[in-house]
Amino acid sequence: ESPLSAAEVSRLIGILQREWPGTRYDTLRNNCCHFSDKFCRCLGVGSIPSWITNLASAGVALVETGNYLENQRRSLTRGVTDMLNCDGSQTLGSEVIENVVQPAPRWLA
């Protein structure tokens, strides 16, 4: 049960409507579970159970890791191309790329 009156809850919903427009919906970062957690905290009844938002958090971590790896791949490709002074018309053999060693990010180790 919330300590807020019906009028306060109504005002809260109006505020949250402006903070959570449908155009900002994001499956991983700004979804209905995140809204429900914010709403419950604003109602003064505490957060929703963390297991509800853990799946979205895991998804965010996977997306961010994928983005990081893609950026590293692009950087590596540019670096190897620059190192070999390629004009872009040549293709690099896999043996060249395999010999370039980069430390893994600490969260992947």
Side-chain angles (χ1 to χ4, degrees):
E1 197 168 307
S2 173
L4 300 181
S5 68
E8 290 170 321
V9 171
S10 201
R11 275 192 300 262
L12 174 61
I13 290 172
I15 292 168
L16 291 176
Q17 276 182 313
R18 291 187 295 278
E19 287 182 16
W20 293 79
T23 55
R24 287 186 36 214
Y25 184 88
D26 182 285
T27 305
L28 299 176
R29 292 180 178 88
N30 200 35
N31 63 37
C32 56
C33 296
H34 296 108
F35 172 82
S36 297
D37 185 55
K38 171 81 177 215
F39 186 47
C40 286
R41 286 184 286 118
C42 289
L43 285 172
V45 297
S47 295
I48 63 173
S50 61
W51 62 266
I52 294 174
T53 56
N54 281 349
L55 183 58
S57 297
V60 169
L62 286 173
V63 168
E64 289 175 353
T65 299
N67 290 340
Y68 171 82
L69 293 172
E70 176 62 17
N71 289 335
Q72 290 300 309
R73 184 198 60 79
R74 287 181 183 165
S75 177
L76 177 63
T77 301
R78 278 192 307 273
V80 170
T81 301
D82 291 346
M83 181 177 73
L84 297 175
N85 201 13
C86 295
D87 65 2
S89 63
Q90 302 167 354
T91 58
L92 300 174
S94 61
E95 67 280 354
V96 173
I97 293 176
E98 288 172 3
N99 290 328
V100 177
V101 178
Q102 278 190 314
R106 57 185 152 96
W107 67 85
L108 289 177

